[in-house]
């Protein structure tokens, strides 16, 4: 019953602690992390006995053999229901049955105890009778030893048997010494064990307010993070909306911007081609005039009379036939002018499409700024709601009288510590008496076995097999005396030793089987959890005591298991039945209030115009400017031709060669002059014209300009139509679906802000219910009181003590027998048997 009261006292400690209010470790999200400082406790979870635990296990095996019955749960339940009162109506059948069940369960211990009591009663009587018998020269008291043929064998047999028995006795004595010392050293550690447990309990209570303050202080960090995000709504919400619209809007604006650049580049290319074309036409006209003049002069020269005289006539005819090659090779004059297209492009460029596109960019990029300007009131409302939530959390902590409860219970712990410190010296003093008594018991057995060892040693080494019983040596006789002294001391004290063994055996054995083992396998808790056992009006005693609600399934075993797992008091004692933390935190209500604030957010950004009507008209005008109708292949073909049909240098050289073959005269001179003119035309007109056809202004080839125009104008109307279609689609998206984007991003942004506090409050709840005021020190204190102090410190050494002493005491009985028998072979006799050869064969004569 004392054990039960002690356990209930520890649970009362837990209850007082749990009433202090919620404590926890918290974790937030998105960069917010909260973690309770780790609490370190001094008391170890387990107690290690060391190598001596092997001896303890041997004793437990012996007890299992003596007491093999399972834990008597039903018997203990009935005993508890009767409140240990058997004085009334003892003759009732149920009481008789209960008594028989108890006897059946204890039958092994009872039998051993009865045998021990018989030993206690009979050994003094036997010793007394044995002493009287020896005084009457009976029972081996006669100092006469009859000679036997197997005397030597018997002496050796008795010696070896006594030696083996003494060894067994010595082992039991060692067990006694070890157990006695172990119990003393463990009692000395009791003070440290009690202090460490009380310190752990005090740490649990003192650390609770710090944990509460930590949890509450984390709300400031959470609110600071939320306020930071609210102040940064421009980039978070506005940027989110902007990012959602970007894939739909930016590609269109980029295409329009590229088209604006293309218009400018087209104008430059058109101007370059058109100007170059005009220069080429002028140069070509001059070349035609020069060639015509040379051709006409040659024709006049060929009319010279010498051209009719052979062989000059042949040369003249050849020259006359080649004059057709002195013509222009190009048709540049037939190429249409690009002035109309240039004028159209100039008209298009009168509208600055690039600036209009930049306005579209600016209008789109102003979305975050517009969001910030339109959500000022909403941000203020949300901040007020968050401040209100902080006030609710502070008020929740103020509603619980934490400090009063803590101060009261800390006072109780201090009183308990004072009580332990005041009474522990008494316990240590009594233990010193116990230790001295155990030492005396062990020393008494040691003395007996020492006499036996001395008797064996002296008798064995002093024995002379040639000496007659009346002539044995002093050493041998002393050995026999030592053996008889050991026998005498054994008879004097063995009954006292057995009395101690029986008492400690009955107490220690029952404590091991009824307390220590069921505590370790938790069957003891299962008995305490029996409905209506401890209180006939309460189904569950613990819930009735702690929660004042006996119908709630709160059991000793569940509380102990949860505390061993270091769970919080709130969930361990199921305090939600008296203090519902969910209702006080009201997570859903606060989240709903914040959600409503964000739902009221009205962001209007429908007035975004990516490109106005002027810009659209500008694109249409560009598509109809006619640059896509130009036959650029004709221009490229003309630009690829040479200015003349023949190479003028080659023609001039050939003409000069033919002139040299002519006789001197005006014809020869005229042909040479014309050849020289052709060379001059080639260097002065043809070569510059070739350069102009290859290179235009701005160091860009005319061919490249034409090809650039051809590329830009290819599918121009389709390109513009696609851009306008994409523009219409993007503009329609902004007008019809931007509201859904705003709602989605606003919800996402609101959930992020709400998420901070949902995570915070949720972790507060988890911490309160599972982590704060973790009751492991309570389970450790209970383990220290029962499993460590009672079982490991006291019961285990006590059981080892009676096991060793009992073993040694029991072996004293055969030791007495063999010692008395062996002493006859070591002691000097007063008379002996003498064999007379003159007498009848086989006759012995007794001689004094």
């Amino acid at each position: 019953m004392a054990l039960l009261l002690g356990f209930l006292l520890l649970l009362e400690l837990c209850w007082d602690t749990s009433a202090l209010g919620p404590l926890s470790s918290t974790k937030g999200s998105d960069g917010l992390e909260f973690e309770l400082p780790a609490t370190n406790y001094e008391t170890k979870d387990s107690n290690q006995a060391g190598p001596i635990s092997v001896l303890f296990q041997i004793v437990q095996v012996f007890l299992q053999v003596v007491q093999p019955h399972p834990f008597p749960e039903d018997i203990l339940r009935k005993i508890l229901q009767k409140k240990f009162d058997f004085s009334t109506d003892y003759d009732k059948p149920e009481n008789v049955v209960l008594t028989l069940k108890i006897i059946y369960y204890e039958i092994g211990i009872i039998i051993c105890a009865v045998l021990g009591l018989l030993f206690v009663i009979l050994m003094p009587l036997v010793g007394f009778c044995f002493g009287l018998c020896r005084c009457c020269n009976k029972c081996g008291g006669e100092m006469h030893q009859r000679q036997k043929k197997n005397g030597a064998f018997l002496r050796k047999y008795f010696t070896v048997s006594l030696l083996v028995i003494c060894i067994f006795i010595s082992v039991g004595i060692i067990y006694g010494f070890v157990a006695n010392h172990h119990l003393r050293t463990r009692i000395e550690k009791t003070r440290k064990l009690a202090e460490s447990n009380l310190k752990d309990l005090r740490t649990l209570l003192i650390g609770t307010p710090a944990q509460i303050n930590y949890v509450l202080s984390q709300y400031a960090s959470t609110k600071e993070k939320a306020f930071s995000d609210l102040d940064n709504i421009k980039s978070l919400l506005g940027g989110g909306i902007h990012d959602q619209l970007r894939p739909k809007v930016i590609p269109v604006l980029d295409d329009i911007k590229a088209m604006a650049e293309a218009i400018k580049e087209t104008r430059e290319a058109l101007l370059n081609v058109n100007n170059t074309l005009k220069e080429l036409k002028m140069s070509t006209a001059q070349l035609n005039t020069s060639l015509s003049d040379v051709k006409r002069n040659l024709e006049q020269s060929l009319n010279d009379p010498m051209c009719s005289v052979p062989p000059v006539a042949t040369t003249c005819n050849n020259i006359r036939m080649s004059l057709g090659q002195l013509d222009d090779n190009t048709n540049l004059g037939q190429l249409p002018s690009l002035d109309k297209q240039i004028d159209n492009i100039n008209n298009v460029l009168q509208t600055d499409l690039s600036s209009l596109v930049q306005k579209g960019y600016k209008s789109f990029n102003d979305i975050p700024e517009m969001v910030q300007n339109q959500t000022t009131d909403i941000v203020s409302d949300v901040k007020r709601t968050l401040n209100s939530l902080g006030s609710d959390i502070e008020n929740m902590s103020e509603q619980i009288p934490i400090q009063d409860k803590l101060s009261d219970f800390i006072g109780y712990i201090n009183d308990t510590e004072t009580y332990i410190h005041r009474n522990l010296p008494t316990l240590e003093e009594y233990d010193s008496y116990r230790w001295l008594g155990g030492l005396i018991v062990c020393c008494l057995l040691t003395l007996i076995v020492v006499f036996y060892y001395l008797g064996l040693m002296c008798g064995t080494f002093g024995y002379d097999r040639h000496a007659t019983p009346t002539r044995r040596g002093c050493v041998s006789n002393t050995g026999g005396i030592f053996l008889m002294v050991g026998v005498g001391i054994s008879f004097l004290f063995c009954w006292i030793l057995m009395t101690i063994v029986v008492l400690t055996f009955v107490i220690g054995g029952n404590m091991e089987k009824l307390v220590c083992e069921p505590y370790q396998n938790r069957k003891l808790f299962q008995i305490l959890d029996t409905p209506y056992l401890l209180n006939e009006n309460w189904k569950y005693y613990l819930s009735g005591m702690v929660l004042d609600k006996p119908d709630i399934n709160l059991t000793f075993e569940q509380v102990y298991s949860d505390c061993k797992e270091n769970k919080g008091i709130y969930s361990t004692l199921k305090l939600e039945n008296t203090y519902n933390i969910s209702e006080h935190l009201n997570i859903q209500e606060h989240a709903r209030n914040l959600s409503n604030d964000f739902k009221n957010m009205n962001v209007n950004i429908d007035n975004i115009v990516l490109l106005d009507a002027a810009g659209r008209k500008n694109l249409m005008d560009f598509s109809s400017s006619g640059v896509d109708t130009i036959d650029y292949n004709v221009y490229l073909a003309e630009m690829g031709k040479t200015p003349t049909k023949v190479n003028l240098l080659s023609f001039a050289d050939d003409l000069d060669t033919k002139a040299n073959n002519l006789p001197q005269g005006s014809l020869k001179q005229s042909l040479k002059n014309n050849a020289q003119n052709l060379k001059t035309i080639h260097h002065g007109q043809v070569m510059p014209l070739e350069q102009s056809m290859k290179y235009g202004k701005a160091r860009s080839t005319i061919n490249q300009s034409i090809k650039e125009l051809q590329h830009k104008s290819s599918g121009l109307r389709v390109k513009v139509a696609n851009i306008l279609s994409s523009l219409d689609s993007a503009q329609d998206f902004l007008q019809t679906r931007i509201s859904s984007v705003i709602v989605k991003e606003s919800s996402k942004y609101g959930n992020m802000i709400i998420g901070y506090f949902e995570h915070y409050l949720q972790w507060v709840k988890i911490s309160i219910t599972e982590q704060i005021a973790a009751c492991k020190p309570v389970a450790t204190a209970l383990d220290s009181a029962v499993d460590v102090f009672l079982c490991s410190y006291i019961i285990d050494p006590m059981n080892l003590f009676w096991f060793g002493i009992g073993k040694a005491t029991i072996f004293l009985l055969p030791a007495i027998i063999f010692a008395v028998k062996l002493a006859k072979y070591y002691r000097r006799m007063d008379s002996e048997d003498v064999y007379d050869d003159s007498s009848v064969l086989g006759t012995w004569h007794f001689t004094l």
Side-chain angles (χ1 to χ4, degrees):
M1 193 64 183
L3 176 61
L4 173 62
L5 293 176
F7 183 59
L8 295 180
L9 183 62
L10 288 173
L11 290 178
E12 179 64 23
L13 182 153
C14 299
W15 165 242
D16 289 342
T17 305
S18 64
L20 304 179
L23 320 172
S24 90
S25 68
T26 64
K27 281 192 177 181
S29 61
D30 297 330
L32 287 176
E33 293 187 0
F34 313 108
E35 183 178 359
L36 283 175
T39 303
N40 298 318
Y41 298 112
E42 290 186 0
T43 309
K44 296 181 179 179
D45 294 338
S46 59
N47 175 64
Q48 300 295 333
I52 197 175
S53 60
V54 177
L55 302 181
F56 294 157
Q57 292 175 3
I58 295 175
V59 178
Q60 291 169 0
V61 171
F62 175 78
L63 285 175
Q64 185 64 32
V65 174
V66 174
Q67 180 62 285
H69 304 295
F71 183 63
E73 300 181 22
D74 295 336
I75 296 176
L76 287 180
R77 288 191 180 97
K78 292 179 180 179
I79 293 175
L80 290 175
Q81 286 173 348
K82 294 178 179 295
K83 296 180 171 53
F84 303 93
D85 185 9
F86 296 92
S87 61
T88 60
D89 299 328
Y90 181 78
D91 56 347
K92 285 186 176 181
E94 57 270 20
N95 289 338
V96 174
V97 172
L98 180 60
T99 303
L100 292 176
K101 287 183 177 180
I102 294 175
I103 294 174
Y104 175 75
Y105 175 76
E106 294 283 346
I107 188 65
I109 294 179
I110 291 174
I111 292 174
C112 292
V114 169
L115 292 176
L117 291 176
L118 289 175
F119 186 95
V120 171
I121 295 172
L122 294 178
M123 283 303 291
L125 293 177
V126 172
F128 179 73
C129 295
F130 180 72
L132 290 178
C133 184
R134 287 183 67 86
C135 289
C136 297
N137 290 327
K138 302 294 182 181
C139 304
E142 182 183 7
M143 298 300 291
H144 174 80
Q145 184 178 18
R146 297 185 180 279
Q147 298 294 330
K148 297 180 180 180
K149 293 182 178 181
N150 59 348
F153 170 76
L154 292 176
R155 176 179 56 81
K156 295 178 181 179
Y157 167 71
F158 293 149
T159 301
V160 173
S161 299
L162 182 60
L163 178 62
V164 172
I165 292 172
C166 288
I167 292 174
F168 281 114
I169 294 174
S170 300
V171 172
I173 295 172
I174 293 173
Y175 284 1
F177 274 116
V178 171
N180 193 52
H181 177 73
H182 185 79
L183 180 56
R184 180 173 178 82
T185 56
R186 290 301 179 266
I187 292 297
E188 291 174 351
K189 293 181 178 181
T190 302
R191 181 186 299 274
K192 181 179 180 182
L193 179 67
E195 289 178 351
S196 65
N197 278 278
L198 291 173
K199 183 177 180 180
D200 290 344
L201 293 174
R202 190 179 287 110
T203 300
L204 171 65
L205 298 180
I206 295 177
T208 297
Q211 290 178 328
I212 295 176
N213 294 332
Y214 176 82
V215 170
L216 297 181
S217 66
Q218 297 312 303
Y219 179 78
S221 301
T222 306
K223 185 174 71 173
E224 181 180 350
K225 174 63 175 175
F227 278 21
S228 175
D229 288 352
L230 288 170
D231 294 336
N232 200 23
I233 193 173
K234 175 180 178 180
S235 60
L236 294 176
L237 177 56
I241 296 174
H242 186 271
D243 292 340
Q244 289 295 320
L245 299 177
R246 176 186 293 273
K248 192 70 177 178
V249 173
I250 294 300
V252 177
L253 293 177
D254 289 343
D255 289 343
I256 298 174
K257 181 179 179 181
M259 189 59 69
E261 294 297 324
I263 294 174
K264 295 178 181 179
E265 293 173 358
T266 298
R267 177 180 178 276
E268 294 296 328
L270 285 173
L271 289 175
N272 184 29
V273 173
N274 196 44
N275 292 333
T276 303
L277 186 60
K278 290 180 179 180
E279 293 176 358
L280 291 177
K281 288 180 178 181
M282 293 177 59
S283 299
T284 303
Q286 293 178 359
L287 178 60
N288 285 333
T289 302
S290 299
L291 290 177
S292 298
D293 292 341
V294 171
K295 185 177 180 180
R296 186 172 52 255
N297 290 334
L298 286 174
E299 289 177 347
Q300 292 176 359
S301 298
L302 293 176
N303 291 326
D304 189 280
M306 288 185 66
C307 288
S308 58
V309 179
V312 177
T314 302
T315 301
C316 290
N317 290 332
N318 290 335
I319 295 173
R320 187 178 295 110
M321 291 178 62
S322 63
L323 291 179
Q325 296 179 358
L326 297 177
D327 287 328
D328 182 13
N329 192 39
T330 63
N331 295 316
L332 294 178
Q334 298 178 359
L335 294 176
S337 175
L338 301 178
D339 292 338
K340 180 181 179 181
Q341 287 82 359
I342 293 174
D343 293 339
N344 291 337
I345 296 299
N346 288 332
N347 292 332
V348 170
L349 290 175
Q350 289 180 359
T351 300
D352 192 353
L353 183 59
S354 297
S355 64
L356 296 179
V357 174
Q358 291 303 321
K359 288 181 180 180
Y361 277 117
K362 185 177 183 304
S363 177
F364 179 69
N365 292 330
D366 285 343
I367 289 178
E369 188 72 27
M370 295 168 63
V371 170
Q372 184 179 27
N373 295 334
Q374 296 180 30
T375 56
T376 303
D377 295 338
I378 297 297
V379 170
S380 300
D381 293 340
V382 173
K383 287 183 177 180
R384 281 194 295 270
T385 302
L386 297 181
N387 288 326
S388 175
L389 176 58
S391 300
D392 291 343
I393 293 177
E394 293 177 0
N395 294 334
M396 180 189 67
S397 64
E398 294 172 357
Q399 292 171 0
I400 304 174
I402 298 176
Q403 298 300 330
D404 295 339
K405 293 288 185 180
L406 278 177
S407 60
D408 293 343
F409 195 74
I410 290 177
Y412 168 76
I413 291 182
N414 293 333
D415 294 340
T416 303
E417 187 174 17
T418 302
Y419 175 82
I420 293 175
H421 288 167
R422 184 173 62 250
N423 292 277
L424 192 58
T426 304
L427 174 63
E428 293 175 345
E429 181 182 0
Y430 288 158
D431 181 67
S432 65
Y433 299 149
R434 180 214 54 78
W435 175 80
L436 182 59
L439 189 62
I440 291 174
V441 169
C442 294
C443 290
L444 186 59
L445 282 169
T446 303
L447 179 62
I448 293 173
V449 79
V450 166
F451 277 122
Y452 287 152
Y453 279 129
L454 289 175
L456 288 170
M457 183 179 65
C458 293
T460 300
F461 290 104
Y463 181 78
D464 184 1
R465 61 188 181 88
H466 299 289
T468 63
T470 57
R471 292 182 177 85
R472 287 175 181 158
C474 179
V475 175
S476 175
N477 185 58
T478 302
I481 294 174
F482 277 142
L483 291 177
M484 294 309 297
V485 171
V487 171
I489 297 175
S490 298
F491 275 118
L492 285 175
F493 296 105
C494 66
W495 66 275
I496 299 175
L497 299 177
M498 184 56 69
T499 301
I500 297 173
V501 170
V502 170
L503 291 176
T504 54
F505 167 71
V506 172
I507 296 173
N510 280 294
M511 289 296 292
E512 175 68 26
K513 301 299 290 187
L514 297 177
V515 177
C516 296
E517 283 188 8
Y519 179 83
Q520 292 172 356
N521 57 30
R522 303 185 184 179
K523 289 185 178 180
L524 193 62
F525 297 112
Q526 296 173 7
I527 292 179
L528 297 178
D529 292 330
T530 303
Y532 307 106
L533 177 65
L534 302 179
N535 189 319
E536 59 184 9
N537 297 320
W538 289 354
K539 182 176 181 180
Y540 298 103
Y541 182 80
L542 188 57
S543 60
M545 183 188 69
V546 176
L547 306 176
D548 199 22
K549 296 179 180 180
D551 293 331
I552 296 175
N553 187 8
L554 181 64
T555 63
F556 288 95
E557 184 179 10
Q558 171 253 310
V559 171
Y560 176 78
S561 299
D562 289 350
C563 288
K564 286 290 286 184
E565 295 174 3
N566 203 28
K567 291 185 178 180
I569 292 294
Y570 187 91
S571 61
T572 299
L573 297 181
K574 299 183 178 181
L575 297 182
E576 67 272 8
N577 294 283
T578 58
Y579 182 82
N580 195 324
I581 189 63
S582 298
E583 294 180 358
H584 287 78
L585 288 177
N586 225 347
I587 298 175
Q588 298 300 326
E589 180 179 350
H590 291 300
R592 187 164 50 252
N593 293 336
L594 289 173
S595 180
N596 291 334
D597 288 337
F598 285 108
K599 285 182 179 179
N600 295 329
M601 183 179 296
N602 185 16
V603 179
N604 184 11
I605 53 178
D606 296 338
N607 56 349
I608 298 177
V609 177
L610 300 180
L611 188 66
D612 58 14
R616 291 172 178 270
K617 183 177 182 303
N618 190 262
L619 289 174
M620 295 297 296
D621 291 342
F622 177 58
S623 67
S624 60
S625 62
V627 294
D628 58 333
T629 61
I630 300 174
D631 189 357
Y632 294 100
N633 291 325
V634 175
Y635 287 84
L636 290 174
E638 291 299 324
M639 293 299 107
K641 295 179 180 180
T642 58
T644 58
K645 293 181 178 181
V646 67
N647 189 320
L648 295 183
L649 286 178
S650 300
F651 190 89
D653 291 339
D654 182 67
L655 184 62
D656 195 39
T657 301
K658 290 178 179 180
N660 290 332
N661 293 328
L662 295 176
Q664 294 293 330
S666 59
L667 177 59
K668 180 178 181 179
Q669 187 61 39
S670 174
L671 291 177
K672 283 186 171 291
N673 291 337
N674 284 310
Q676 185 61 39
N677 289 336
L678 287 175
K679 292 180 180 181
T680 301
I681 292 171
H682 176 78
H683 292 291
Q685 296 183 34
V686 174
M687 290 183 64
L689 183 58
E690 287 178 347
Q691 294 294 325
S692 297
M693 293 178 69
K694 290 182 180 180
Y695 301 98
K697 294 182 178 179
R699 298 182 179 180
S700 175
T701 65
I702 185 65
N703 285 341
Q704 289 178 345
S705 297
I706 295 173
K707 290 179 180 179
E708 182 180 353
L709 286 172
Q710 187 179 32
H711 174 72
K712 291 183 180 298
S713 62
S714 177
L716 178 61
R717 296 179 185 272
V718 176
K719 293 179 181 178
V720 173
N722 290 337
I723 291 175
L724 292 177
S725 176
S726 299
L727 178 63
D728 292 337
S729 176
Q731 193 69 53
D732 180 69
F733 181 84
L734 292 176
Q735 292 176 354
T736 60
R737 298 184 61 185
I738 193 172
S739 58
S740 62
V741 174
I742 294 174
V743 170
K744 178 181 177 182
E745 289 300 314
S746 299
S747 176
K748 179 180 177 181
Y749 177 75
N751 290 336
M752 180 181 66
I753 300 297
I754 295 172
Y756 296 152
F757 297 92
E758 283 186 335
H759 282 293
Y760 171 74
L761 295 177
Q762 186 65 29
W763 278 105
V764 168
K765 178 181 177 181
I766 293 175
S767 299
I768 290 174
T769 56
E770 298 181 7
Q771 298 177 4
I772 289 183
C775 59
K776 188 173 185 178
V778 179
T780 303
L782 186 60
D783 288 341
S784 298
V786 180
D787 191 40
V788 178
F789 175 73
L790 180 61
C791 296
S792 296
Y793 283 9
I794 297 178
I795 301 302
D796 285 345
M798 180 192 296
N799 289 337
L800 181 61
F801 182 80
W802 64 250
F803 181 77
I805 300 302
K807 174 184 176 181
T809 304
I810 290 173
F811 276 105
L812 285 179
L813 184 59
I816 290 173
I817 296 173
F818 286 112
V820 172
K821 292 286 187 179
L822 187 59
K824 276 286 191 178
Y825 293 92
Y826 292 158
R827 296 183 66 186
R828 184 184 298 121
M829 297 291 103
D830 294 336
S831 62
E832 61 181 356
D833 290 338
V834 178
Y835 181 77
D836 189 357
D837 294 336
S838 62
S839 62
V840 180
L841 184 63
T843 302
W844 291 88
H845 298 276
F846 180 72
T847 303
L848 293 177

